[in-house]
Amino acid sequence: MADGRFMLAYLVIREGTKWTDVFRLLPGQAVTIGRAPTNHIVIKDERCSRHHAEVFLAQDRWTLRDLDSRNGTSVGGNGVKGDYLLQRDDVIRIGHSQLKFVHDVSTAFPDSSSIIKRASLAGDEAWATDEASIFGGDEPTHITHRTVQTKFLAPPEDDQASLVPKVGRAAAVLCRLAFDLAQATDVNQLANLALAGLFEETRVDAGSLLLLPRTFKGEPTGTDLEVLAWRSDKEDRYHRVSNFLATMVLREGEAVLARNVIDDSVLGGRDSQGEIHATSVICAPVRQGSRAFGLLHLYSTQTDVIPDPDDLEFTLAVAETVAVALNNLNRRQELTEDLSQIRGENLQLRERLGVQSEIVGSSAAMGMVAQEIDRAAPSRATVLIRGESGVGKELVARAVHYASARRKGPFVCLNCAALSESLLESELFGHERGAFTGATERKMGKFEAADTGTLMLDEIGEMSPTIQAKFLRVLEGHPFERVGGSEAIKVDVRVIAATNRDLERDVAEGKFRRDLYFRLHVVEILVPALRKRVEDIPELASHFLKKFNDETGRRIRGYTPAAVEAMQAYRWPGNVRELKNVIERAVLLSRTDFVDSVDLTLSSLSTAGDSMDIGALARRYEPMSLEDLEKRHILATLQATGWNKSRTASILGIERSTLDRKIRRYDLTEEIPHRMG
């Protein structure tokens, strides 16, 4: 059989100039090597990857595989690619560490003839060495025991408990108790765990954990303590610690063991009063530093069961552990409360942001707008907001900005319709001193002002073709120059454009650049007109009423039913802006506690949609009587519904019987198309 086929093999590890460990390779176990602590062989070297390589037995050959490590694995100075079949005395190099592959450990060290190997069938190995004569200071580390779970956290067997010394048993109980207390989720569970551990190890039959209130300040006394939990094994009641003893322990911070204590303060049981004669009482302070904020009270009522100084020592140790656990529990509770407070503040800030942006409305249409804002906000894409004048396009743009990663950056607005071409160019890109008449100082443009933030351009359709071309270059990431300047300026700005114009028609008519349209039309948010979300009118009206009550000091309590009906029936050609102005005037001029319909100043203007319909009708005008107009309209509706009379009557807003009468009156008949034979 070849050398590499021996099943018994070892990796002898050398780090720097010292041999540090020996690892036995076992068939059926893949040995991982790397910097992560989860590996079988851990190499603490920055040149070693977290999961660097592995060694495994395949077809009776020990095989080395590099796990795509950053700095590679080599054997004999040659890099390992894929799987490498290990040979006797191969030296694996990983970073600054070497691992020698051997079948006999004695061959790894020239002077190791005195190594004696003791192996059992269970796989445990021990090594006896003459350390001084063989290895000197370079001997490998010998692992003699391994364990996953400590036995000190498991209760001792009944037959072994009597063999363990009392101090050792108490230390084991305290270790388990500290582990359990650290995992307690509330103070009641913590108190019950502490009492259970005390009753297991001390000679008492009753006791409690008492704490001062969290908000307590001043010099504590025994009467200030509150019983958090109590336990009694011999009788169904607990006798509270005397005020004298409790006050002394709280103030002096010392644990005490007292004899022959009489108290008549009783908790639990059927009787509210009774006298107790305790053979011994233990009181240990629960303290943080020098300040006691509670105590453990234990006592025995039996003459043959008397706690001793060792019980006092153990109780004090438990009290110290309880103090640490309580402190950690309080900190976790404070962190939870802080997190809850932060979440509440976050919600309040979100609500405050909503109030600031005045995006009010719970209709389905506004729900769609909110969803589109949520989808658009995380990206860097240009947003085009469309809607009639007064619907709140700027407010939607502000919401997109504050919901995005640029929320900490500036939000800058500019109305393109309010400025001439030259002034708009100066406002957008800035100007140098002396660039034109009146330019007495250098001015930063809106693009520079909005760097790392958002620039909202309202009425983008009013921008002149010349400005559109320069604006498009900036949108595409090119630098720009101030008016009258030569310095190239590059900014990081997200642009949100808004318009109430039909940009598609403007593009067709040559009024708006086609390439700019497609550059802006990446994400579109359509804000509905107020008349298309009538259900939001009462909510908006209440919002503006509160706003103007606060601003004016008035105390208008609400709206009359007639006022609400009038607002919902009105078409609102000026949309939300008009509603806001109408409510402001009503709050100022109302003479009663409620806004009535007579307080609402509603105009007779038509909406933008109505204007287009009237203009279209005017262009298609044909002289005819109302009777002929009604006849044509009814016939057109019947034809559109496929002569479905019920649906036609519903569209026309008349009864089915009325429709039948008009059909007979106008002698309307359904035309059946001729079919080719």
Side-chain angles (χ1 to χ4, degrees):
M1 181 177 293
D3 290 344
R5 293 182 177 274
F6 284 100
M7 303 288 286
L8 189 62
Y10 305 88
L11 287 176
V12 183
I13 306 167
R14 186 185 187 97
E15 295 182 0
T17 61
K18 295 184 178 181
W19 298 99
T20 59
D21 203 353
V22 178
F23 195 93
R24 182 181 178 183
L25 302 176
L26 299 175
Q29 178 185 19
V31 177
T32 59
I33 307 169
R35 198 175 72 251
T38 54
N39 291 287
H40 296 89
I41 299 177
V42 179
I43 298 178
K44 297 180 179 180
D45 186 338
E46 289 302 320
R47 294 177 57 82
C48 178
S49 299
R50 288 182 56 81
H51 303 285
H52 197 103
E54 64 178 348
V55 177
F56 57 92
L57 189 67
Q59 298 180 349
D60 296 336
R61 300 292 299 271
W62 287 104
T63 305
L64 171 67
R65 176 181 294 168
D66 183 85
L67 300 176
D68 296 327
S69 63
R70 183 183 61 204
N71 295 305
T73 305
S74 64
V75 177
N78 299 317
V80 173
K81 302 294 183 183
D83 292 349
Y84 174 84
L85 299 179
L86 290 168
Q87 304 293 328
R88 181 195 300 272
D89 296 330
D90 274 343
V91 176
I92 305 168
R93 180 177 292 276
I94 296 176
H96 297 292
S97 300
Q98 301 175 47
L99 297 89
K100 190 169 185 179
F101 175 76
V102 297
H103 296 295
D104 185 351
V105 175
S106 63
T107 64
F109 310 100
D111 300 329
S112 58
S113 57
S114 62
I115 295 180
I116 303 174
K117 181 181 67 177
R118 299 195 304 269
S120 66
L121 294 178
D124 294 331
E125 299 218 356
W127 300 90
T129 60
D130 184 356
E131 298 176 352
S133 61
I134 299 175
F135 299 114
D138 293 343
E139 75 277 6
T141 301
H142 305 308
I143 300 175
T144 59
H145 298 83
R146 295 179 185 269
T147 184
V148 175
Q149 186 173 359
T150 173
K151 64 184 179 181
F152 293 111
L153 296 181
E157 301 292 339
D158 293 338
D159 57 348
Q160 297 178 353
S162 60
L163 302 178
V164 180
K166 183 176 181 180
V167 175
R169 186 174 65 249
V173 172
L174 186 62
C175 180
R176 293 199 310 273
L177 182 59
F179 184 80
D180 292 338
L181 292 177
Q183 300 182 83
T185 56
D186 57 65
V187 291
N188 290 320
Q189 181 186 10
L190 185 147
N192 290 322
L193 285 171
L195 291 175
L198 287 165
F199 274 56
E200 176 184 348
E201 187 58 28
T202 60
R203 286 170 290 188
V204 296
D205 53 52
S208 71
L209 173 61
L210 303 93
L211 296 177
L212 293 170
R214 290 181 62 181
T215 58
F216 180 82
K217 295 181 180 180
E219 191 73 18
T221 64
T223 57
D224 299 317
L225 291 168
E226 299 176 355
V227 178
L228 184 61
W230 62 271
R231 174 174 170 175
S232 179
D233 288 348
K234 296 303 180 181
E235 45 184 15
D236 190 21
R237 58 183 180 178
Y238 160 71
H239 298 266
R240 184 184 173 105
V241 62
S242 69
N243 181 45
F244 166 76
L245 197 58
T247 302
M248 181 184 67
V249 171
L250 287 174
R251 292 181 177 177
E252 297 182 5
E254 295 180 338
V256 299
L257 172 62
R259 307 287 188 188
N260 300 322
V261 179
I262 299 178
D263 198 359
D264 60 357
S265 178
V266 183
L267 291 177
R270 299 178 180 177
D271 301 327
S272 60
Q273 293 182 353
E275 185 176 275
I276 176 176
H277 185 279
T279 58
S280 296
V281 172
I282 294 176
C283 277
V286 178
R287 59 197 176 193
Q288 288 181 337
S290 59
R291 175 181 171 271
F293 60 92
L295 58 84
L296 281 171
H297 172 225
L298 305 172
Y299 62 83
S300 173
T301 58
Q302 304 175 73
T303 55
D304 57 338
V305 179
I306 302 175
D308 57 21
D310 287 339
D311 294 327
L312 177 65
E313 294 282 349
F314 182 79
T315 304
L316 181 58
V318 172
E320 298 284 358
T321 307
V322 167
V324 174
L326 275 173
N327 184 48
N328 293 336
L329 196 61
N330 289 334
R331 292 191 65 181
R332 288 203 301 268
Q333 184 175 350
E334 290 172 359
L335 288 173
T336 302
E337 292 173 354
D338 290 344
L339 179 60
S340 177
Q341 181 180 354
I342 290 172
R343 286 175 175 170
E345 291 175 353
N346 188 26
L347 181 60
Q348 291 176 4
L349 287 174
R350 287 177 178 270
E351 293 175 350
R352 193 177 303 167
L353 175 60
V355 171
Q356 180 182 355
S357 64
E358 296 184 353
I359 297 181
V360 178
S362 54
S363 63
M366 291 308 296
M368 290 294 296
V369 172
Q371 292 178 13
E372 291 169 359
I373 290 173
D374 290 339
R375 285 195 293 265
S379 72
R380 296 172 54 91
T382 304
V383 179
L384 179 62
I385 303 175
R386 310 181 76 157
E388 296 178 8
S389 179
V391 294
K393 297 186 290 295
E394 181 181 335
L395 306 180
V396 172
R398 191 181 299 273
V400 172
H401 169 74
Y402 284 108
S404 72
R406 296 172 174 264
R407 65 179 66 89
K408 294 183 179 179
F411 178 77
V412 180
C413 294
L414 178 64
N415 191 322
C416 300
L419 302 170
S420 64
E421 179 178 327
S422 59
L423 286 178
L424 179 58
E425 183 179 13
S426 173
E427 285 293 322
L428 281 175
F429 308 112
H431 63 253
E432 297 289 347
R433 180 179 180 181
F436 51 83
T437 303
T440 57
E441 298 292 340
R442 169 189 282 186
K443 179 180 179 181
M444 179 187 294
K446 299 299 185 186
F447 267 107
E448 289 182 79
D451 191 24
T452 71
T454 304
L455 174 61
M456 190 265 185
L457 298 177
D458 200 4
E459 305 298 347
I460 191 72
E462 305 296 333
M463 188 180 288
S464 69
T466 303
I467 305 299
Q468 289 179 30
K470 191 172 182 180
F471 175 56
L472 177 60
R473 282 187 54 81
V474 180
L475 276 184
E476 292 177 342
H478 296 284
F480 62 91
E481 299 171 356
R482 299 189 186 98
V483 177
S486 58
E487 178 187 356
I489 301 171
K490 191 174 179 62
V491 292
D492 174 22
V493 174
R494 183 184 192 179
V495 173
I496 299 178
T499 184
N500 62 356
R501 294 177 61 95
D502 186 349
L503 290 184
E504 291 80 4
R505 187 177 65 185
D506 288 349
V507 170
E509 295 176 356
K511 299 178 180 178
F512 199 82
R513 293 180 62 101
R514 181 181 296 271
D515 48 2
L516 178 57
Y517 168 77
F518 288 118
R519 185 64 182 82
L520 292 174
H521 198 259
V522 179
V523 178
E524 182 179 84
I525 299 178
L526 181 62
V527 185
L530 184 56
R531 63 182 176 278
K532 295 183 179 180
R533 51 184 183 111
V534 179
E535 57 269 38
D536 288 335
I537 291 177
E539 189 175 351
L540 282 163
S542 297
H543 168 75
F544 289 132
L545 180 65
K546 181 180 183 303
K547 173 183 174 66
F548 294 122
N549 269 339
D550 294 340
E551 290 182 3
T552 62
R554 298 293 303 274
R555 292 293 179 266
I556 306 298
R557 297 166 58 187
Y559 301 92
T560 64
V564 175
E565 183 179 354
M567 287 189 290
Q568 290 183 313
Y570 183 56
R571 298 280 289 170
W572 297 107
N575 290 294
V576 180
R577 183 187 292 119
E578 182 185 7
L579 174 63
K580 177 182 177 182
N581 295 335
V582 167
I583 300 303
E584 182 177 15
R585 182 182 184 280
V587 169
L588 289 172
L589 301 181
S590 177
R591 298 182 179 181
T592 64
D593 291 342
F594 290 88
V595 174
D596 198 3
S597 58
V598 297
D599 300 318
L600 303 174
T601 304
L602 305 178
S603 72
S604 58
L605 296 175
S606 60
T607 64
D610 295 338
S611 300
M612 288 190 295
D613 293 341
I614 291 173
L617 287 173
R619 289 192 296 270
R620 298 194 305 266
Y621 172 72
E622 180 183 347
M624 67 178 64
S625 64
L626 288 175
E627 184 176 342
D628 290 338
L629 182 62
E630 183 180 50
K631 177 181 177 180
R632 287 191 180 188
H633 185 59
I634 292 175
L635 180 60
T637 308
L638 284 166
Q639 291 173 344
T641 61
W643 276 78
N644 185 324
K645 295 181 180 179
S646 298
R647 188 177 173 191
T648 300
S650 176
I651 293 173
L652 296 174
I654 59 178
E655 297 291 336
R656 169 69 181 272
S657 58
T658 304
L659 176 62
D660 289 334
R661 287 199 305 272
K662 291 184 180 292
I663 290 174
R664 291 193 297 269
R665 175 183 175 185
Y666 295 130
D667 194 20
L668 302 177
T669 57
E670 181 178 5
E671 295 182 2
I672 301 176
H674 296 285
R675 295 186 179 181
M676 299 299 291

